[in-house]
Amino acid sequence: MDVSLYDLVKKSKHNKRAMKELIDLFEPKLKKSLSLTQYGQREDLEQELKCTLIKSVQRYNVDTIPGFWELKEQFENLKIVLN
């Protein structure tokens, strides 16, 4: 069954298996980024990136994500303020 990123982030706050799945989902991007660093520093950097991902997911409040119309209204209000 395909799980959305939203659902995976929400589940991963209390479920280690979901967190592992989320890390695995970002693994290709991590590996690609690590290929741009020196070989001797890749392992340490990989651990740091994964720790940062975990901390970011745990701090992120998925319940405060605005819906499409709320986001559209926020952008319109921002345009009015900037003009």
Side-chain angles (χ1 to χ4, degrees):
M1 184 168 107
D2 247 356
V3 178
S4 71
L5 182 60
Y6 172 85
D7 292 331
L8 202 51
V9 168
K10 195 165 186 164
K11 287 179 185 178
S12 67
K13 293 187 178 285
H14 306 289
N15 183 319
K16 290 181 182 181
R17 181 173 285 144
M19 181 62 78
K20 172 75 169 102
E21 193 174 332
L22 188 62
I23 291 169
D24 291 345
L25 182 67
F26 282 93
E27 190 80 22
K29 176 62 180 159
L30 289 172
K31 294 294 185 190
K32 175 105 173 147
S33 297
L34 290 170
S35 70
L36 302 173
T37 62
Q38 294 179 12
Y39 183 77
Q41 296 177 357
R42 289 181 187 174
E43 191 173 322
D44 290 339
L45 184 57
E46 181 177 8
Q47 289 177 4
E48 287 296 321
L49 290 171
K50 287 179 180 178
C51 285
T52 301
L53 176 63
I54 291 168
K55 288 176 188 176
S56 297
V57 166
Q58 290 174 342
R59 284 187 294 217
Y60 191 72
N61 186 355
V62 293
D63 296 324
T64 60
I65 298 172
F68 174 78
W69 297 111
E70 295 167 323
L71 188 62
K72 181 180 182 285
E73 184 178 324
Q74 289 175 9
F75 278 119
E76 288 172 351
N77 291 338
L78 182 60
K79 273 178 33 178
I80 292 170
V81 171
L82 292 176
N83 288 331

